[in-house]
Amino acid sequence: MLSSLRPIVAFVAVFLVSATAAFAQTDPLPSWNDGPTKQAIVDFVTRVTEPESGDYVPIKDRIATFDNDGTLWLEQPMYTQLAFALDRVKELAPEHPEWKDQQPFKAVLEGDMKTLAASGEKGIAQLVAATHAGMTPEQFQTIVGDWLATAKDKRFERGYSKLVYQPMLELLSYLRDKGFTTYIVSGGGIEFVRNLSEPVYGIPPAQVVGSSIKTQYEVVDGVPTVMRLAELNFIDDKEGKPIGITEHIGQRPIAAFGNSDGDYQMLDWTTAGKGPRLGLIVHHTDAEREYAYDSDSSVGHLDKALDAAPDKGWIVVDMKNDWKEIFPPQE
Amino acid sequence: MLSSLRPIVAFVAVFLVSATAAFAQTDPLPSWNDGPTKQAIVDFVTRVTEPESGDYVPIKDRIATFDNDGTLWLEQPMYTQLAFALDRVKELAPEHPEWKDQQPFKAVLEGDMKTLAASGEKGIAQLVAATHAGMTPEQFQTIVGDWLATAKDKRFERGYSKLVYQPMLELLSYLRDKGFTTYIVSGGGIEFVRNLSEPVYGIPPAQVVGSSIKTQYEVVDGVPTVMRLAELNFIDDKEGKPIGITEHIGQRPIAAFGNSDGDYQMLDWTTAGKGPRLGLIVHHTDAEREYAYDSDSSVGHLDKALDAAPDKGWIVVDMKNDWKEIFPPQE
């Protein structure tokens, strides 16, 4: 009689294997450890996408906004855009012999980060003017693209576009699969971020909101040209994030993702809206695999938003415990 | 022998009927008369979408920008947004008894368009401050939506959202079917146009570029709020159009559609790009079915762009002869 059970056993075995495989295939967030953080994300997405949930949100209103530095990619030991500006100063230095004696360029060329930091907003403005202006957006894109193709982070010995967070890449895809439109809302320069948004995050240039310098339309030798000027236009940080979202997207998001106090207002405004809302903070707690920092760091300073999270109902990702992987696998 | 041919004749007849029906069904621009204008549009779209054409453009670069007033909907005898502002002043007048003696409000209340026009930019700024500011974008959307639902154009006795150009609605759909992303780039207010862009044109709020007033982020009684201020932020007209496109879209369009000199720079910058480009001007030549105007009109002033069209290779739509229908059918 036992032998007559064999086909049934085989069937059950095949069924179990298939079911496991199917489950593994359909876990949309494989780099997230199972637990309350992952569950809260999946619960929110399920609630807003299931018509019978009572919290259903139509596709046109499924707007999700992501900070970039420290939320989607590495921001330590310095913002990647600052690393770009410093490298660019070094590259342009032969054309500017006067920089040897002129701050903040002298400090950059001598690697004197303390003096550079002391140059403050004025110094940063001079760096931006020298490295980001006086060209068309297309020319700037070429310069940034060439730099990103070769520049490497010293600690991880990888290009910056490989130092993006694998769990967040999965989250972006998961949300888009569920009908969300995903936006980057970055304190960084809008044109800088646009260089990588599509190939790295699958986010087209038009879905990037960021800080910007002014541009001017000119006809140069009969050629219509947009020129980047050495003049600040908009700071997309803190109060600027809800303003930038209003201007660019024209809708309040239902989900917002950040990692620092610069994201506080975006998180607060997003989650204060009616209906189901999701606010999430990436807390850098993993000195071994990445970095551990919050209220003591000037880059990615996280204090007020972390304190407010429990009351506001924002999810706090504990990078060390919630993330199975930090970066995409090495190729 | 003849009877044996019958099945073949029947087959051929059925084939011809089917083929005709299929052709009728697939004409993407039924409200455009056959002729060189329609042919030039179809030729361009065919060239950029057929992989073997040599002029193929990948989907991510198929960006098309449309002016709104006079290009997608009626702009005579006055811009619809101005009609809104005038109606709004009348509605708010009981709360502002001082307006009876105060310009430009006095002129609006007395229907004195000459004095209103003489109040110039300062007068318009006061109208905008009184009717467009001091509220959240959501509150403004409600006010505009309520007005659009009931206000009617006097000549055509139809609501403004029914006074859109049927041939242009077909063109928008045709381009989207062919993988284009369609944007509105309007001199009008971005939030005003966003009210109708999705239901009327199928264009989501984030794909609207326009003029704007400043907004401010405030926490009012603990509620995070974006407030519209009585201060100009950006004029999306003339040189402003390439600037607004750069800021919002981050890519140069491959096709641009306008109807006035306010669109000149957008058309010029768009068609000056490398590869296949399309520039198109809607020329209002139909006083009987709509209006006939160009260089003599202050609303929709068309002079320089019309003169430049032949040299620049821009298509000029002769509304009277190229369009079979002007507006969507009456319901």
Side-chain angles (χ1 to χ4, degrees):
Chain A
M1 286 296 280
L2 272 178
S3 69
S4 71
L5 281 175
R6 214 173 280 161
I8 294 170
V9 171
F11 172 78
V12 169
V14 165
F15 176 79
L16 285 176
V17 168
S18 309
T20 310
F23 182 77
Q25 273 170 13
T26 56
D27 177 5
L29 302 170
S31 298
W32 293 71
N33 285 315
D34 291 330
T37 303
K38 180 175 180 172
Q39 197 57 50
I41 296 169
V42 173
D43 284 351
F44 170 80
V45 173
T46 305
R47 279 199 295 140
V48 301
T49 54
E50 284 193 350
E52 63 280 6
S53 77
D55 274 336
Y56 181 77
V57 175
I59 283 181
K60 69 180 182 59
D61 296 326
R62 291 184 205 157
I63 306 287
T65 53
F66 289 80
D67 169 60
N68 186 38
D69 294 308
T71 299
L72 295 179
W73 77 350
L74 191 75
E75 66 178 352
Q76 296 284 5
M78 72 173 88
Y79 296 122
T80 301
Q81 192 171 0
L82 180 57
F84 160 76
L86 302 188
D87 279 1
R88 187 76 187 144
V89 165
K90 288 170 199 158
E91 199 177 328
L92 293 171
E95 302 165 32
H96 294 273
E98 74 280 10
W99 284 355
K100 273 182 205 149
D101 307 302
Q102 191 183 322
Q103 295 297 6
F105 304 104
K106 184 167 182 283
V108 173
L109 297 175
E110 292 170 356
D112 175 2
M113 298 306 285
K114 207 174 149 190
T115 303
L116 177 63
S119 75
E121 275 186 32
K122 197 189 153 204
I124 294 293
Q126 285 175 289
L127 277 191
V128 167
T131 58
H132 286 62
M135 62 194 93
T136 68
E138 289 92 341
Q139 288 164 338
F140 182 67
Q141 288 297 346
T142 303
I143 293 166
V144 173
D146 289 349
W147 180 79
L148 277 173
T150 55
K152 284 188 176 177
D153 174 81
K154 289 204 182 70
R155 173 175 165 194
F156 295 103
E157 298 178 333
R158 296 183 80 174
Y160 294 99
S161 56
K162 303 290 180 195
L163 294 170
V164 293
Y165 305 129
Q166 177 65 23
M168 298 304 282
L169 295 181
E170 293 167 6
L171 183 52
L172 285 168
S173 294
Y174 174 46
L175 290 173
R176 288 195 293 257
D177 286 348
K178 295 293 186 176
F180 280 76
T181 306
T182 53
Y183 289 84
I184 292 174
V185 179
S186 172
I190 188 167
E191 292 294 347
F192 185 84
V193 178
R194 278 172 170 162
N195 194 278
L196 58 133
S197 62
E198 180 105 56
V200 175
Y201 303 126
I203 294 178
Q207 287 167 25
V208 177
V209 183
S211 298
S212 57
I213 55 177
K214 283 196 194 298
T215 58
Q216 178 173 294
Y217 182 79
E218 324 171 335
V219 179
V220 182
D221 298 332
V223 180
T225 305
V226 172
M227 190 57 70
R228 290 166 60 80
L229 305 181
E231 192 184 340
L232 209 62
N233 180 55
F234 181 67
I235 301 276
D236 190 57
D237 197 33
K238 298 192 172 69
E239 291 83 2
K241 292 204 173 192
I243 302 295
I245 292 169
T246 297
E247 171 78 9
H248 279 254
I249 307 179
Q251 289 181 266
R252 198 193 299 217
I254 65 164
F257 304 84
N259 79 300
S260 80
D261 283 359
D263 303 311
Y264 184 95
Q265 288 82 355
M266 174 171 77
L267 289 162
D268 201 17
W269 181 61
T270 297
T271 57
K274 282 179 199 157
R277 304 279 159 160
L278 179 70
L280 183 148
I281 295 172
V282 174
H283 190 193
H284 293 259
T285 53
D286 196 332
E288 200 179 316
R289 294 187 298 170
E290 202 240 11
Y291 291 93
Y293 60 97
D294 43 45
S295 61
D296 288 334
S297 178
S298 62
V299 172
H301 182 78
L302 174 65
D303 188 1
K304 188 180 150 196
L306 194 60
D307 286 348
D311 258 14
K312 302 276 186 188
W314 301 337
I315 299 170
V316 177
V317 173
D318 175 350
M319 187 180 263
K320 186 172 178 176
N321 291 306
D322 286 327
W323 286 2
K324 216 173 281 177
E325 306 291 340
I326 306 286
F327 301 121
Q330 296 271 7
E331 275 150 22
Chain B
M1 288 294 281
L2 272 178
S3 69
S4 72
L5 282 175
R6 215 174 275 162
I8 294 169
V9 170
F11 172 78
V12 169
V14 165
F15 177 78
L16 285 176
V17 168
S18 309
T20 310
F23 183 76
Q25 272 169 15
T26 55
D27 178 4
L29 301 171
S31 298
W32 293 72
N33 286 313
D34 291 330
T37 303
K38 179 175 180 171
Q39 197 57 49
I41 295 169
V42 173
D43 284 351
F44 170 79
V45 172
T46 305
R47 278 198 296 139
V48 300
T49 54
E50 284 192 352
E52 63 279 7
S53 77
D55 275 336
Y56 181 76
V57 175
I59 283 180
K60 71 179 180 61
D61 295 328
R62 290 183 206 157
I63 307 286
T65 53
F66 289 80
D67 170 59
N68 186 38
D69 295 308
T71 298
L72 294 180
W73 77 350
L74 191 75
E75 65 178 351
Q76 296 285 3
M78 72 173 87
Y79 296 122
T80 302
Q81 192 172 0
L82 180 57
F84 161 76
L86 302 187
D87 279 1
R88 187 77 186 143
V89 165
K90 289 171 197 156
E91 199 177 329
L92 293 172
E95 302 165 33
H96 295 274
E98 74 280 9
W99 284 355
K100 274 181 201 146
D101 308 301
Q102 192 184 323
Q103 295 296 7
F105 304 103
K106 185 168 184 282
V108 174
L109 297 175
E110 293 170 355
D112 176 2
M113 298 305 285
K114 206 173 150 192
T115 302
L116 177 63
S119 74
E121 274 185 33
K122 197 187 152 204
I124 293 292
Q126 285 174 287
L127 278 191
V128 168
T131 58
H132 286 62
M135 63 195 93
T136 69
E138 288 92 343
Q139 288 164 337
F140 182 66
Q141 288 296 345
T142 303
I143 294 166
V144 173
D146 289 349
W147 180 80
L148 277 174
T150 54
K152 284 188 175 181
D153 174 82
K154 288 203 181 70
R155 173 175 163 194
F156 295 104
E157 298 177 334
R158 297 183 81 174
Y160 295 100
S161 57
K162 303 289 179 195
L163 294 169
V164 293
Y165 305 130
Q166 177 64 23
M168 297 304 282
L169 295 182
E170 294 167 5
L171 182 52
L172 284 167
S173 293
Y174 173 46
L175 290 173
R176 288 195 292 258
D177 286 348
K178 294 293 187 176
F180 280 77
T181 305
T182 53
Y183 288 85
I184 292 174
V185 178
S186 173
I190 187 168
E191 292 294 346
F192 185 85
V193 178
R194 278 173 170 163
N195 195 278
L196 59 133
S197 62
E198 179 105 57
V200 175
Y201 304 126
I203 294 178
Q207 287 167 24
V208 177
V209 183
S211 298
S212 57
I213 56 177
K214 284 195 194 299
T215 59
Q216 180 173 293
Y217 182 78
E218 325 171 336
V219 179
V220 182
D221 298 332
V223 180
T225 305
V226 172
M227 190 57 69
R228 290 165 60 79
L229 305 182
E231 192 185 339
L232 209 63
N233 180 54
F234 181 68
I235 302 276
D236 190 57
D237 197 35
K238 298 191 170 72
E239 290 82 2
K241 292 204 173 193
I243 301 296
I245 292 169
T246 297
E247 171 77 9
H248 280 255
I249 308 178
Q251 289 180 266
R252 198 194 298 219
I254 65 163
F257 304 83
N259 79 299
S260 80
D261 283 0
D263 303 310
Y264 184 94
Q265 288 81 356
M266 173 171 78
L267 289 162
D268 201 17
W269 181 61
T270 297
T271 57
K274 281 180 199 158
R277 302 280 160 160
L278 179 71
L280 182 148
I281 294 171
V282 174
H283 189 194
H284 293 261
T285 53
D286 196 332
E288 199 179 317
R289 294 187 299 170
E290 202 241 11
Y291 291 94
Y293 60 97
D294 44 44
S295 61
D296 289 335
S297 178
S298 62
V299 172
H301 182 78
L302 174 65
D303 187 3
K304 188 180 150 199
L306 194 60
D307 286 349
D311 258 14
K312 301 276 186 185
W314 300 337
I315 299 170
V316 177
V317 173
D318 175 349
M319 187 181 263
K320 186 172 178 175
N321 292 305
D322 285 327
W323 285 2
K324 217 173 280 178
E325 306 291 341
I326 306 286
F327 302 120
Q330 296 272 5
E331 274 149 23

